[in-house]
């Protein structure tokens, strides 16, 4: 429909026809809302179909679009249709916006770039809807088709570029949606190990994105045999400057497949110790007990020495040392140390806490208390502090001395002028 057709149709409508269309439109919207409300009662907040409020997902504009278009086809046989035609374009734009927004938020929940993409797609969708409503979209597309850009000996129109970008974006978003659905509905139930679930999720996403990209290129008329040149160029780039990047990606998949380190393990890399919170395809996130987080390239985890503190089991040993006086009862001190650890709910009973006399220090007897926990990610210093307080209270209650460093100075002789008087008090 051209702009003249739009103006003619606008002149032909009357108040009665507008009322009928508005009533039909209200019925379609109410029916779509009722269906979403009924089926979205128990859906999660991150559902792409229903969204956070059961009707701000993809399903509501899709149902409204289908119902409105069916109503438009019926009403057009009896009167001039204007409102329903506008509503179809509005719901179509809303469907595209919701599709891109929901899928991108589900796949990249913490990315700031997603917001920019959402706003860009919203502006383009609403501009296209307005142009289509007033009948200016066909001439705008014709003008874009006349504008060509030269790439070597090939000339490509701006319209072809826009169509290619739109097709590629739509196919890739659908591929991401399928990958996200497989990860949530299948992998979370079938794969219990976090590392294997991660590698399966990454592999499925990469495969679907590759297939979607090939379909998108074919849709815009790109000869796929030309990708061999791109593959050769990529190989040269990997050989010269991207080998580190490629090595990190390959190392990431090797780590996930070997399961030498897994999400949740406590590891020590160089001097940094913490718990692995996530394994990306290029790097691994390690979070220390004090809240600091290290980003370690995956290649470093493959080629350097890494201490996995929880590979054999989840038990983690913590120690604390104390020095008491030489006149103290060793068995009583050991009992006080062990009881101070046993009263803490996080301390494991198997193996039980144990205290050793490890050294005859210059100032007293040095004891070392060993105890084990199964949740080191909750912190070690806080538990050690609580046990030290209990040890201090127990030793004071038992009257056991905690000596402080003392040094005795013996003077064999003094010069006559520094000798003290006979009745002096020293």
């Amino acid at each position: 429909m051209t702009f003249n057709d739009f103006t003619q149709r606008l002149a032909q409508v009357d108040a009665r026809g507008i009322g009928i269309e508005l009533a039909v439109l209200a019925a379609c919207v109410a029916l779509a809302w009722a269906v979403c409300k009924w089926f979205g009662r128990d859906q999660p907040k991150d559902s792409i179909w229903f969204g956070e409020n059961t009707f701000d997902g993809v399903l509501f504009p899709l149902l409204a679009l289908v119902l409105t278009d069916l109503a438009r086809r019926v009403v057009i046989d009896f009167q001039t249709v204007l409102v329903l035609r506008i509503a179809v374009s509005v719901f179509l734009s809303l469907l595209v916006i919701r599709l891109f927004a929901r899928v991108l938020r589900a796949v990249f929940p913490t990315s700031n770039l997603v917001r920019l993409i959402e706003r860009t797609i919203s502006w383009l969708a609403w501009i296209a809807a307005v142009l289509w409503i007033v009948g200016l979209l066909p001439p705008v597309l014709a003008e874009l088709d006349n504008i060509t850009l030269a790439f070597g000996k090939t000339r490509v129109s701006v319209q072809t570029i826009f169509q290619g970008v739109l097709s590629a974006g739509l196919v890739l978003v659908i591929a991401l949606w399928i990958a996200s659905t497989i990860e949530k509905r299948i992998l979370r139930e079938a794969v219990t190990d976090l590392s294997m679930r991660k590698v399966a999720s990454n592999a499925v996403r990469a495969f679907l994105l590759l297939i979607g990209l090939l379909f998108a290129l074919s849709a815009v008329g790109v000869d796929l045999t030309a990708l061999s040149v791109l593959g050769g160029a990529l190989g040269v780039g990997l050989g010269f400057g991207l080998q580190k990047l490629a090595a990190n990606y390959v190392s990431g998949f090797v780590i996930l497949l070997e399961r030498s380190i897994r999400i949740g393990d406590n590891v020590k890399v160089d001097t940094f110790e913490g718990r692995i919170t996530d394994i990306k395809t290029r790097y691994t996130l390690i979070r220390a007990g004090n809240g600091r987080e290290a980003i370690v390239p995956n290649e470093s985890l493959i080629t350097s020495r890494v201490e996995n503190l929880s590979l054999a089991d989840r038990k983690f040993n913590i120690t604390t040392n104390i020095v008491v006086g030489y006149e103290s009862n060793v068995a009583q001190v050991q009992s006080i140390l062990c009881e101070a650890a046993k009263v803490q709910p996080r301390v494991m009973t198997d193996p039980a806490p144990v205290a050793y006399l490890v050294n005859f220090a210059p100032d007293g007897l040095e004891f070392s208390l060993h105890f084990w926990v199964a949740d080191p990610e909750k912190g070690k210093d806080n538990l050690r502090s609580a046990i030290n307080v209990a040890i201090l209270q127990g030793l004071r209650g038992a009257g056991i001395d905690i000596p402080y460093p003392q040094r005795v100075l013996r003077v064999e002789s003094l010069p006559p002028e520094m000798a003290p008087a006979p009745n002096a008090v020293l």
Side-chain angles (χ1 to χ4, degrees), residues 9 36 89 218 224 243 266 311 364 423:
R9 183 171 298 186
C36 293
S89 63
S218 299
L224 297 182
Q243 66 270 25
N266 289 277
L311 182 59
N423 296 328

Side-chain angles (χ1 to χ4, degrees), residues 89-351:
S89 63
V90 171
F91 288 135
L92 179 60
S93 299
L94 186 60
L95 174 62
V96 173
I97 295 172
R98 291 275 180 86
L99 176 62
F100 277 83
R102 286 299 173 189
V103 173
L104 292 178
R105 287 184 186 179
V107 178
F108 309 105
T110 59
S111 176
N112 295 325
L113 185 60
V114 172
R115 305 295 182 183
L116 177 61
I117 296 176
E118 290 179 10
R119 289 193 292 267
T120 303
I121 294 174
S122 299
W123 278 101
L124 293 177
W126 292 124
I127 291 174
V130 172
L131 293 177
W132 187 79
I133 290 172
V134 299
L136 295 178
L137 186 60
V140 170
L141 293 178
E143 290 296 328
L144 292 177
D145 191 39
N146 294 330
I147 303 174
T148 58
L149 301 176
F151 297 94
K153 296 181 179 180
T154 305
R155 303 189 67 84
V156 182
S157 66
V158 177
Q159 179 184 358
T160 304
I161 295 176
F162 276 133
Q163 290 177 349
V165 172
L166 180 61
S167 301
L170 185 61
V171 171
L172 293 180
V173 166
I174 294 176
L176 288 174
W177 187 2
I178 297 174
S180 177
T181 303
I182 292 176
E183 180 182 357
K184 291 181 179 179
R185 301 299 176 90
I186 299 177
L187 295 180
R188 288 186 180 179
E189 298 178 359
V191 183
T192 56
D193 188 81
L194 291 178
S195 298
M196 293 304 298
R197 186 191 305 169
K198 193 72 176 179
V199 69
S201 174
N202 292 338
V204 169
R205 182 179 299 179
F207 175 75
L208 291 177
L209 286 177
L210 177 61
I211 298 299
L213 181 61
L214 293 179
F215 272 107
L217 293 177
S218 299
V220 297
V222 175
D223 188 5
L224 297 182
T225 58
L227 295 179
S228 58
V229 179
L230 179 61
L234 183 60
V236 174
L238 291 176
F240 281 99
L242 300 179
Q243 66 270 25
K244 287 293 184 181
L245 184 62
N248 285 319
Y249 276 99
V250 174
S251 300
F253 280 99
V254 171
I255 290 172
L256 291 171
L257 289 173
E258 283 185 344
R259 301 172 64 187
S260 55
I261 58 175
R262 295 164 294 183
I263 298 176
D265 285 353
N266 289 277
V267 298
K268 185 176 182 181
V269 182
D270 294 333
T271 59
F272 192 86
E273 179 181 334
R275 183 173 62 93
I276 296 179
T277 57
D278 199 0
I279 301 178
K280 304 289 187 180
T281 53
R282 189 183 62 84
Y283 59 88
T284 297
L285 294 175
I286 303 177
R287 185 178 182 85
N290 57 5
R292 292 186 303 164
E293 198 168 56
I295 301 176
V296 182
N298 289 328
E299 185 185 12
S300 300
L301 301 178
I302 294 292
T303 59
S304 61
R305 179 175 178 266
V306 178
E307 296 181 30
N308 194 334
L309 306 178
S310 56
L311 182 59
D313 53 42
R314 292 288 296 168
K315 296 190 293 291
F316 192 87
N317 177 253
I318 305 176
T319 63
T320 184
N321 298 327
I322 185 71
V323 177
V324 299
Y326 274 102
E327 68 281 359
S328 304
N329 187 315
V330 174
Q332 184 183 16
V333 173
Q334 290 177 321
S335 175
I336 292 174
L337 295 180
C338 293
E339 288 298 325
K342 290 179 180 178
V343 297
Q344 298 296 325
R346 289 180 54 196
V347 176
M348 300 178 62
T349 58
D350 185 20

